[in-house]
Amino acid sequence: MKKLMILVAILTAMASCQNSNDGADEVIVAPLTEQETADILFLREEEKLARDVYLFSYDLYGHIIFNNISNSEQTHMNSVYTLILKYNLYDPTEGKQRGEFENEVLQNLYNSLSSQSSLSLMEALKVGAGIEDLDINDLDGNISHTTKADLLQVYSSLQCGSRNHLRNFVQQLEGINGTYEPQFLSQDDYNTIVASQNERCGLPF
């Protein structure tokens, strides 16, 4: 009887210790601010806009750059989706077809950019450069709105990818005697980006 009581006591202590360890292993996620939430949701659709415009241009011209970078934009969308899942946010792209957006500003922008892209291959390449120019600028704002390491990792990786995309679009433009003038980046920042080599971005997804 005494041995049984000792065994019960040992098992109880082990269970208590296990419960304590389980609690220690739990990761507490700090809540997002309203601005951080808005940035994530907008970014999810902004990456979709880039993907959808490039798919539109690929269908028109069959140029490999649009196919390659649209695939990269899908990867960018997936990266943002990891944040949506982590913070239990709704997905503004759910149920949306190509070219459909919840955000009215992005819907109007898609309509305008796809219309411009339909004019010629050169215009479609300029649109691509403009989208990446805008993305880099917008991500600067996102980065300034947060101190959360996970958000900063995603934003920095996406911005790195957009710099590579911008370089690639500009290179293709120059190959057909086209030019691009930055609309959102400063001329100095733009010059620095296009004059440098592609980067290894380490996308989180």
Side-chain angles (χ1 to χ4, degrees):
M1 184 68 177
K2 184 176 182 181
K3 290 182 179 180
L4 179 60
M5 293 176 63
I6 293 174
L7 179 59
V8 169
I10 292 173
L11 292 175
T12 300
M14 289 176 62
S16 176
C17 181
Q18 181 64 45
N19 290 338
S20 176
N21 288 338
D22 287 346
D25 290 341
E26 290 179 2
V27 177
I28 299 175
V29 179
L32 297 172
T33 65
E34 289 186 9
Q35 182 65 63
E36 289 168 337
T37 297
D39 286 346
I40 291 171
L41 298 181
F42 186 86
L43 182 59
R44 172 74 166 164
E45 284 203 285
E46 189 172 34
E47 298 297 341
K48 180 182 185 299
L49 177 141
R51 185 201 67 180
D52 290 0
V53 171
Y54 300 154
L55 288 172
F56 176 86
S57 295
Y58 182 66
D59 288 345
L60 282 177
Y61 305 110
H63 197 303
I64 191 64
I65 190 173
F66 297 117
N67 185 56
N68 290 344
I69 298 186
S70 68
N71 289 334
S72 294
E73 298 299 345
Q74 181 62 61
T75 301
H76 290 191
M77 287 182 66
N78 295 346
S79 297
V80 180
Y81 189 60
T82 63
L83 298 177
I84 287 176
L85 289 177
K86 180 175 182 178
Y87 290 97
N88 196 31
L89 305 177
Y90 85 98
D91 180 7
T93 72
E94 185 175 357
K96 298 293 190 298
Q97 301 301 311
R98 188 198 299 185
E100 293 182 352
F101 300 88
E102 178 177 295
N103 185 287
E104 186 176 353
V105 171
L106 292 176
Q107 182 66 67
N108 291 336
L109 183 58
Y110 172 84
N111 295 341
S112 174
L113 295 178
S114 57
S115 178
Q116 181 182 346
S117 295
S118 69
L119 297 176
S120 67
L121 173 59
M122 183 175 290
E123 288 302 312
L125 292 171
K126 288 181 180 179
V127 164
I131 288 173
E132 303 304 333
D133 180 0
L134 174 63
D135 282 356
I136 294 167
N137 183 73
D138 284 351
L139 283 162
D140 274 338
N142 291 5
I143 289 169
S144 72
H145 295 158
T146 188
T147 59
K148 290 184 173 64
D150 53 348
L151 272 63
L152 291 172
Q153 179 189 16
V154 170
Y155 296 160
S156 295
S157 294
L158 298 191
Q159 196 173 56
C160 175
S162 287
R163 289 194 297 269
N164 285 342
H165 297 167
L166 177 59
R167 294 181 183 105
N168 294 337
F169 278 122
V170 170
Q171 183 180 44
Q172 291 296 319
L173 270 170
E174 291 174 346
I176 57 173
N177 298 317
T179 58
Y180 175 75
E181 295 295 329
Q183 304 172 58
F184 306 98
L185 292 167
S186 70
Q187 189 67 52
D188 286 345
D189 287 345
Y190 170 79
N191 290 342
T192 297
I193 291 170
V194 298
S196 56
Q197 298 295 315
N198 277 1
E199 305 164 65
R200 293 179 61 87
C201 299
L203 288 170
F205 200 99

PDB file of all heavy atoms in Angstrom, residues 169-198:
ATOM      1  N   PHE A 169      12.927  44.188 -65.079  1.00  0.00           N
ATOM      2  CA  PHE A 169      12.064  44.904 -66.010  1.00  0.00           C
ATOM      3  C   PHE A 169      12.837  46.010 -66.741  1.00  0.00           C
ATOM      4  O   PHE A 169      12.672  46.207 -67.957  1.00  0.00           O
ATOM      5  CB  PHE A 169      10.854  45.494 -65.289  1.00  0.00           C
ATOM      6  CG  PHE A 169       9.737  44.513 -65.066  1.00  0.00           C
ATOM      7  CD1 PHE A 169       9.272  44.241 -63.785  1.00  0.00           C
ATOM      8  CD2 PHE A 169       9.130  43.869 -66.138  1.00  0.00           C
ATOM      9  CE1 PHE A 169       8.234  43.330 -63.573  1.00  0.00           C
ATOM     10  CE2 PHE A 169       8.093  42.961 -65.939  1.00  0.00           C
ATOM     11  CZ  PHE A 169       7.644  42.692 -64.652  1.00  0.00           C
ATOM     12  N   VAL A 170      13.649  46.739 -66.004  1.00  0.00           N
ATOM     13  CA  VAL A 170      14.432  47.812 -66.623  1.00  0.00           C
ATOM     14  C   VAL A 170      15.407  47.240 -67.646  1.00  0.00           C
ATOM     15  O   VAL A 170      15.583  47.807 -68.744  1.00  0.00           O
ATOM     16  CB  VAL A 170      15.175  48.623 -65.542  1.00  0.00           C
ATOM     17  CG1 VAL A 170      16.182  49.588 -66.177  1.00  0.00           C
ATOM     18  CG2 VAL A 170      14.177  49.404 -64.683  1.00  0.00           C
ATOM     19  N   GLN A 171      16.012  46.121 -67.332  1.00  0.00           N
ATOM     20  CA  GLN A 171      16.938  45.483 -68.276  1.00  0.00           C
ATOM     21  C   GLN A 171      16.221  45.079 -69.565  1.00  0.00           C
ATOM     22  O   GLN A 171      16.737  45.288 -70.668  1.00  0.00           O
ATOM     23  CB  GLN A 171      17.575  44.254 -67.625  1.00  0.00           C
ATOM     24  CG  GLN A 171      18.616  43.559 -68.488  1.00  0.00           C
ATOM     25  CD  GLN A 171      19.209  42.346 -67.807  1.00  0.00           C
ATOM     26  OE1 GLN A 171      18.499  41.539 -67.206  1.00  0.00           O
ATOM     27  NE2 GLN A 171      20.525  42.216 -67.869  1.00  0.00           N
ATOM     28  N   GLN A 172      15.016  44.525 -69.413  1.00  0.00           N
ATOM     29  CA  GLN A 172      14.242  44.149 -70.593  1.00  0.00           C
ATOM     30  C   GLN A 172      13.827  45.376 -71.405  1.00  0.00           C
ATOM     31  O   GLN A 172      13.843  45.348 -72.649  1.00  0.00           O
ATOM     32  CB  GLN A 172      12.999  43.357 -70.179  1.00  0.00           C
ATOM     33  CG  GLN A 172      13.289  41.978 -69.611  1.00  0.00           C
ATOM     34  CD  GLN A 172      13.926  41.057 -70.627  1.00  0.00           C
ATOM     35  OE1 GLN A 172      13.534  41.040 -71.793  1.00  0.00           O
ATOM     36  NE2 GLN A 172      14.908  40.287 -70.196  1.00  0.00           N
ATOM     37  N   LEU A 173      13.473  46.450 -70.731  1.00  0.00           N
ATOM     38  CA  LEU A 173      13.126  47.689 -71.422  1.00  0.00           C
ATOM     39  C   LEU A 173      14.308  48.225 -72.225  1.00  0.00           C
ATOM     40  O   LEU A 173      14.157  48.621 -73.394  1.00  0.00           O
ATOM     41  CB  LEU A 173      12.672  48.744 -70.406  1.00  0.00           C
ATOM     42  CG  LEU A 173      11.193  48.804 -70.065  1.00  0.00           C
ATOM     43  CD1 LEU A 173      10.957  49.732 -68.882  1.00  0.00           C
ATOM     44  CD2 LEU A 173      10.370  49.253 -71.264  1.00  0.00           C
ATOM     45  N   GLU A 174      15.454  48.251 -71.596  1.00  0.00           N
ATOM     46  CA  GLU A 174      16.640  48.765 -72.279  1.00  0.00           C
ATOM     47  C   GLU A 174      16.987  47.910 -73.492  1.00  0.00           C
ATOM     48  O   GLU A 174      17.523  48.413 -74.484  1.00  0.00           O
ATOM     49  CB  GLU A 174      17.812  48.829 -71.300  1.00  0.00           C
ATOM     50  CG  GLU A 174      17.622  49.895 -70.222  1.00  0.00           C
ATOM     51  CD  GLU A 174      18.717  49.868 -69.174  1.00  0.00           C
ATOM     52  OE1 GLU A 174      19.469  48.868 -69.126  1.00  0.00           O
ATOM     53  OE2 GLU A 174      18.811  50.843 -68.395  1.00  0.00           O
ATOM     54  N   GLY A 175      16.647  46.628 -73.429  1.00  0.00           N
ATOM     55  CA  GLY A 175      16.923  45.735 -74.545  1.00  0.00           C
ATOM     56  C   GLY A 175      16.095  46.035 -75.781  1.00  0.00           C
ATOM     57  O   GLY A 175      16.447  45.599 -76.889  1.00  0.00           O
ATOM     58  N   ILE A 176      14.982  46.751 -75.606  1.00  0.00           N
ATOM     59  CA  ILE A 176      14.155  47.138 -76.763  1.00  0.00           C
ATOM     60  C   ILE A 176      14.122  48.670 -76.892  1.00  0.00           C
ATOM     61  O   ILE A 176      13.164  49.252 -77.390  1.00  0.00           O
ATOM     62  CB  ILE A 176      12.734  46.558 -76.667  1.00  0.00           C
ATOM     63  CG1 ILE A 176      12.029  46.991 -75.378  1.00  0.00           C
ATOM     64  CG2 ILE A 176      12.760  45.039 -76.779  1.00  0.00           C
ATOM     65  CD1 ILE A 176      10.546  46.583 -75.327  1.00  0.00           C
ATOM     66  N   ASN A 177      15.214  49.303 -76.393  1.00  0.00           N
ATOM     67  CA  ASN A 177      15.377  50.758 -76.494  1.00  0.00           C
ATOM     68  C   ASN A 177      14.300  51.540 -75.748  1.00  0.00           C
ATOM     69  O   ASN A 177      13.922  52.645 -76.164  1.00  0.00           O
ATOM     70  CB  ASN A 177      15.420  51.195 -77.964  1.00  0.00           C
ATOM     71  CG  ASN A 177      16.589  50.595 -78.721  1.00  0.00           C
ATOM     72  OD1 ASN A 177      17.706  50.550 -78.211  1.00  0.00           O
ATOM     73  ND2 ASN A 177      16.338  50.103 -79.927  1.00  0.00           N
ATOM     74  N   GLY A 178      13.816  50.965 -74.655  1.00  0.00           N
ATOM     75  CA  GLY A 178      12.859  51.656 -73.809  1.00  0.00           C
ATOM     76  C   GLY A 178      13.534  52.199 -72.560  1.00  0.00           C
ATOM     77  O   GLY A 178      14.660  51.813 -72.222  1.00  0.00           O
ATOM     78  N   THR A 179      12.863  53.092 -71.882  1.00  0.00           N
ATOM     79  CA  THR A 179      13.382  53.660 -70.635  1.00  0.00           C
ATOM     80  C   THR A 179      12.263  53.721 -69.602  1.00  0.00           C
ATOM     81  O   THR A 179      11.076  53.710 -69.945  1.00  0.00           O
ATOM     82  CB  THR A 179      13.938  55.083 -70.839  1.00  0.00           C
ATOM     83  OG1 THR A 179      12.893  55.919 -71.363  1.00  0.00           O
ATOM     84  CG2 THR A 179      15.126  55.071 -71.786  1.00  0.00           C
ATOM     85  N   TYR A 180      12.660  53.792 -68.344  1.00  0.00           N
ATOM     86  CA  TYR A 180      11.697  53.953 -67.262  1.00  0.00           C
ATOM     87  C   TYR A 180      12.176  55.062 -66.341  1.00  0.00           C
ATOM     88  O   TYR A 180      13.355  55.093 -65.952  1.00  0.00           O
ATOM     89  CB  TYR A 180      11.539  52.654 -66.463  1.00  0.00           C
ATOM     90  CG  TYR A 180      10.636  52.828 -65.252  1.00  0.00           C
ATOM     91  CD1 TYR A 180       9.258  52.933 -65.396  1.00  0.00           C
ATOM     92  CD2 TYR A 180      11.182  52.935 -63.972  1.00  0.00           C
ATOM     93  CE1 TYR A 180       8.435  53.134 -64.306  1.00  0.00           C
ATOM     94  CE2 TYR A 180      10.364  53.137 -62.869  1.00  0.00           C
ATOM     95  CZ  TYR A 180       8.989  53.237 -63.040  1.00  0.00           C
ATOM     96  OH  TYR A 180       8.179  53.451 -61.950  1.00  0.00           O
ATOM     97  N   GLU A 181      11.276  55.954 -65.986  1.00  0.00           N
ATOM     98  CA  GLU A 181      11.559  57.024 -65.031  1.00  0.00           C
ATOM     99  C   GLU A 181      10.833  56.717 -63.732  1.00  0.00           C
ATOM    100  O   GLU A 181       9.618  56.474 -63.749  1.00  0.00           O
ATOM    101  CB  GLU A 181      11.106  58.382 -65.565  1.00  0.00           C
ATOM    102  CG  GLU A 181      11.854  58.846 -66.805  1.00  0.00           C
ATOM    103  CD  GLU A 181      13.329  59.118 -66.536  1.00  0.00           C
ATOM    104  OE1 GLU A 181      13.650  59.526 -65.387  1.00  0.00           O
ATOM    105  OE2 GLU A 181      14.138  58.913 -67.449  1.00  0.00           O
ATOM    106  N   PRO A 182      11.536  56.697 -62.591  1.00  0.00           N
ATOM    107  CA  PRO A 182      10.885  56.344 -61.317  1.00  0.00           C
ATOM    108  C   PRO A 182       9.764  57.310 -60.972  1.00  0.00           C
ATOM    109  O   PRO A 182       9.878  58.524 -61.171  1.00  0.00           O
ATOM    110  CB  PRO A 182      12.029  56.430 -60.303  1.00  0.00           C
ATOM    111  CG  PRO A 182      13.051  57.312 -60.940  1.00  0.00           C
ATOM    112  CD  PRO A 182      12.951  57.059 -62.412  1.00  0.00           C
ATOM    113  N   GLN A 183       8.670  56.734 -60.462  1.00  0.00           N
ATOM    114  CA  GLN A 183       7.505  57.523 -60.093  1.00  0.00           C
ATOM    115  C   GLN A 183       7.342  57.663 -58.579  1.00  0.00           C
ATOM    116  O   GLN A 183       6.658  58.576 -58.105  1.00  0.00           O
ATOM    117  CB  GLN A 183       6.240  56.868 -60.655  1.00  0.00           C
ATOM    118  CG  GLN A 183       6.267  56.661 -62.147  1.00  0.00           C
ATOM    119  CD  GLN A 183       5.092  55.829 -62.630  1.00  0.00           C
ATOM    120  OE1 GLN A 183       3.927  56.182 -62.412  1.00  0.00           O
ATOM    121  NE2 GLN A 183       5.381  54.696 -63.267  1.00  0.00           N
ATOM    122  N   PHE A 184       7.933  56.736 -57.832  1.00  0.00           N
ATOM    123  CA  PHE A 184       7.740  56.713 -56.383  1.00  0.00           C
ATOM    124  C   PHE A 184       9.075  56.754 -55.632  1.00  0.00           C
ATOM    125  O   PHE A 184       9.186  57.433 -54.615  1.00  0.00           O
ATOM    126  CB  PHE A 184       6.944  55.466 -55.977  1.00  0.00           C
ATOM    127  CG  PHE A 184       5.650  55.328 -56.719  1.00  0.00           C
ATOM    128  CD1 PHE A 184       5.543  54.498 -57.827  1.00  0.00           C
ATOM    129  CD2 PHE A 184       4.532  56.063 -56.342  1.00  0.00           C
ATOM    130  CE1 PHE A 184       4.345  54.381 -58.531  1.00  0.00           C
ATOM    131  CE2 PHE A 184       3.334  55.963 -57.041  1.00  0.00           C
ATOM    132  CZ  PHE A 184       3.243  55.126 -58.140  1.00  0.00           C
ATOM    133  N   LEU A 185      10.055  56.047 -56.116  1.00  0.00           N
ATOM    134  CA  LEU A 185      11.388  56.109 -55.535  1.00  0.00           C
ATOM    135  C   LEU A 185      12.063  57.424 -55.920  1.00  0.00           C
ATOM    136  O   LEU A 185      11.766  58.003 -56.966  1.00  0.00           O
ATOM    137  CB  LEU A 185      12.248  54.947 -56.039  1.00  0.00           C
ATOM    138  CG  LEU A 185      11.871  53.539 -55.590  1.00  0.00           C
ATOM    139  CD1 LEU A 185      12.625  52.503 -56.426  1.00  0.00           C
ATOM    140  CD2 LEU A 185      12.183  53.345 -54.110  1.00  0.00           C
ATOM    141  N   SER A 186      13.001  57.853 -55.086  1.00  0.00           N
ATOM    142  CA  SER A 186      13.820  58.991 -55.485  1.00  0.00           C
ATOM    143  C   SER A 186      14.735  58.557 -56.628  1.00  0.00           C
ATOM    144  O   SER A 186      15.029  57.366 -56.788  1.00  0.00           O
ATOM    145  CB  SER A 186      14.661  59.488 -54.310  1.00  0.00           C
ATOM    146  OG  SER A 186      15.688  58.546 -53.999  1.00  0.00           O
ATOM    147  N   GLN A 187      15.182  59.520 -57.423  1.00  0.00           N
ATOM    148  CA  GLN A 187      16.066  59.187 -58.542  1.00  0.00           C
ATOM    149  C   GLN A 187      17.345  58.524 -58.048  1.00  0.00           C
ATOM    150  O   GLN A 187      17.843  57.565 -58.665  1.00  0.00           O
ATOM    151  CB  GLN A 187      16.399  60.444 -59.341  1.00  0.00           C
ATOM    152  CG  GLN A 187      17.132  60.176 -60.643  1.00  0.00           C
ATOM    153  CD  GLN A 187      16.272  59.451 -61.660  1.00  0.00           C
ATOM    154  OE1 GLN A 187      15.166  59.883 -61.957  1.00  0.00           O
ATOM    155  NE2 GLN A 187      16.772  58.344 -62.203  1.00  0.00           N
ATOM    156  N   ASP A 188      17.872  58.997 -56.925  1.00  0.00           N
ATOM    157  CA  ASP A 188      19.105  58.422 -56.379  1.00  0.00           C
ATOM    158  C   ASP A 188      18.897  56.970 -55.956  1.00  0.00           C
ATOM    159  O   ASP A 188      19.736  56.102 -56.242  1.00  0.00           O
ATOM    160  CB  ASP A 188      19.610  59.236 -55.191  1.00  0.00           C
ATOM    161  CG  ASP A 188      20.238  60.558 -55.619  1.00  0.00           C
ATOM    162  OD1 ASP A 188      20.537  60.704 -56.825  1.00  0.00           O
ATOM    163  OD2 ASP A 188      20.421  61.435 -54.755  1.00  0.00           O
ATOM    164  N   ASP A 189      17.793  56.701 -55.256  1.00  0.00           N
ATOM    165  CA  ASP A 189      17.520  55.323 -54.818  1.00  0.00           C
ATOM    166  C   ASP A 189      17.306  54.411 -56.021  1.00  0.00           C
ATOM    167  O   ASP A 189      17.791  53.280 -56.051  1.00  0.00           O
ATOM    168  CB  ASP A 189      16.284  55.288 -53.910  1.00  0.00           C
ATOM    169  CG  ASP A 189      16.558  55.855 -52.532  1.00  0.00           C
ATOM    170  OD1 ASP A 189      17.748  56.012 -52.178  1.00  0.00           O
ATOM    171  OD2 ASP A 189      15.590  56.146 -51.808  1.00  0.00           O
ATOM    172  N   TYR A 190      16.584  54.914 -57.000  1.00  0.00           N
ATOM    173  CA  TYR A 190      16.346  54.134 -58.212  1.00  0.00           C
ATOM    174  C   TYR A 190      17.664  53.813 -58.915  1.00  0.00           C
ATOM    175  O   TYR A 190      17.916  52.664 -59.308  1.00  0.00           O
ATOM    176  CB  TYR A 190      15.420  54.900 -59.142  1.00  0.00           C
ATOM    177  CG  TYR A 190      15.293  54.309 -60.519  1.00  0.00           C
ATOM    178  CD1 TYR A 190      14.476  53.203 -60.765  1.00  0.00           C
ATOM    179  CD2 TYR A 190      16.006  54.847 -61.601  1.00  0.00           C
ATOM    180  CE1 TYR A 190      14.363  52.658 -62.034  1.00  0.00           C
ATOM    181  CE2 TYR A 190      15.899  54.305 -62.872  1.00  0.00           C
ATOM    182  CZ  TYR A 190      15.082  53.216 -63.077  1.00  0.00           C
ATOM    183  OH  TYR A 190      14.985  52.668 -64.336  1.00  0.00           O
ATOM    184  N   ASN A 191      18.503  54.817 -59.081  1.00  0.00           N
ATOM    185  CA  ASN A 191      19.787  54.615 -59.754  1.00  0.00           C
ATOM    186  C   ASN A 191      20.639  53.585 -59.021  1.00  0.00           C
ATOM    187  O   ASN A 191      21.305  52.746 -59.652  1.00  0.00           O
ATOM    188  CB  ASN A 191      20.547  55.935 -59.854  1.00  0.00           C
ATOM    189  CG  ASN A 191      19.903  56.912 -60.822  1.00  0.00           C
ATOM    190  OD1 ASN A 191      19.089  56.524 -61.665  1.00  0.00           O
ATOM    191  ND2 ASN A 191      20.248  58.178 -60.703  1.00  0.00           N
ATOM    192  N   THR A 192      20.624  53.651 -57.694  1.00  0.00           N
ATOM    193  CA  THR A 192      21.415  52.708 -56.903  1.00  0.00           C
ATOM    194  C   THR A 192      20.919  51.279 -57.117  1.00  0.00           C
ATOM    195  O   THR A 192      21.709  50.342 -57.256  1.00  0.00           O
ATOM    196  CB  THR A 192      21.330  53.062 -55.411  1.00  0.00           C
ATOM    197  OG1 THR A 192      21.904  54.362 -55.209  1.00  0.00           O
ATOM    198  CG2 THR A 192      22.090  52.056 -54.561  1.00  0.00           C
ATOM    199  N   ILE A 193      19.601  51.109 -57.144  1.00  0.00           N
ATOM    200  CA  ILE A 193      19.027  49.770 -57.314  1.00  0.00           C
ATOM    201  C   ILE A 193      19.379  49.199 -58.680  1.00  0.00           C
ATOM    202  O   ILE A 193      19.881  48.070 -58.787  1.00  0.00           O
ATOM    203  CB  ILE A 193      17.501  49.813 -57.122  1.00  0.00           C
ATOM    204  CG1 ILE A 193      17.155  50.086 -55.663  1.00  0.00           C
ATOM    205  CG2 ILE A 193      16.867  48.485 -57.570  1.00  0.00           C
ATOM    206  CD1 ILE A 193      15.688  50.373 -55.423  1.00  0.00           C
ATOM    207  N   VAL A 194      19.114  49.949 -59.750  1.00  0.00           N
ATOM    208  CA  VAL A 194      19.287  49.393 -61.098  1.00  0.00           C
ATOM    209  C   VAL A 194      20.762  49.221 -61.460  1.00  0.00           C
ATOM    210  O   VAL A 194      21.090  48.437 -62.366  1.00  0.00           O
ATOM    211  CB  VAL A 194      18.556  50.235 -62.160  1.00  0.00           C
ATOM    212  CG1 VAL A 194      17.059  50.240 -61.892  1.00  0.00           C
ATOM    213  CG2 VAL A 194      19.108  51.646 -62.233  1.00  0.00           C
ATOM    214  N   ALA A 195      21.640  49.919 -60.760  1.00  0.00           N
ATOM    215  CA  ALA A 195      23.073  49.798 -61.047  1.00  0.00           C
ATOM    216  C   ALA A 195      23.708  48.618 -60.317  1.00  0.00           C
ATOM    217  O   ALA A 195      24.866  48.275 -60.586  1.00  0.00           O
ATOM    218  CB  ALA A 195      23.796  51.089 -60.670  1.00  0.00           C
ATOM    219  N   SER A 196      22.970  47.991 -59.408  1.00  0.00           N
ATOM    220  CA  SER A 196      23.525  46.893 -58.604  1.00  0.00           C
ATOM    221  C   SER A 196      23.004  45.546 -59.087  1.00  0.00           C
ATOM    222  O   SER A 196      22.039  45.451 -59.836  1.00  0.00           O
ATOM    223  CB  SER A 196      23.188  47.091 -57.130  1.00  0.00           C
ATOM    224  OG  SER A 196      21.791  47.217 -56.945  1.00  0.00           O
ATOM    225  N   GLN A 197      23.689  44.490 -58.641  1.00  0.00           N
ATOM    226  CA  GLN A 197      23.353  43.139 -59.054  1.00  0.00           C
ATOM    227  C   GLN A 197      22.137  42.613 -58.292  1.00  0.00           C
ATOM    228  O   GLN A 197      21.802  43.103 -57.207  1.00  0.00           O
ATOM    229  CB  GLN A 197      24.544  42.204 -58.794  1.00  0.00           C
ATOM    230  CG  GLN A 197      25.803  42.563 -59.578  1.00  0.00           C
ATOM    231  CD  GLN A 197      25.597  42.405 -61.075  1.00  0.00           C
ATOM    232  OE1 GLN A 197      25.039  41.408 -61.531  1.00  0.00           O
ATOM    233  NE2 GLN A 197      26.046  43.392 -61.846  1.00  0.00           N
ATOM    234  N   ASN A 198      21.484  41.598 -58.875  1.00  0.00           N
ATOM    235  CA  ASN A 198      20.390  40.931 -58.184  1.00  0.00           C
ATOM    236  C   ASN A 198      20.849  40.371 -56.844  1.00  0.00           C
ATOM    237  O   ASN A 198      22.003  39.963 -56.691  1.00  0.00           O
ATOM    238  CB  ASN A 198      19.811  39.801 -59.033  1.00  0.00           C
ATOM    239  CG  ASN A 198      18.793  40.296 -60.045  1.00  0.00           C
ATOM    240  OD1 ASN A 198      18.514  41.492 -60.146  1.00  0.00           O
ATOM    241  ND2 ASN A 198      18.228  39.384 -60.809  1.00  0.00           N
TER     242      ASN A 198
END
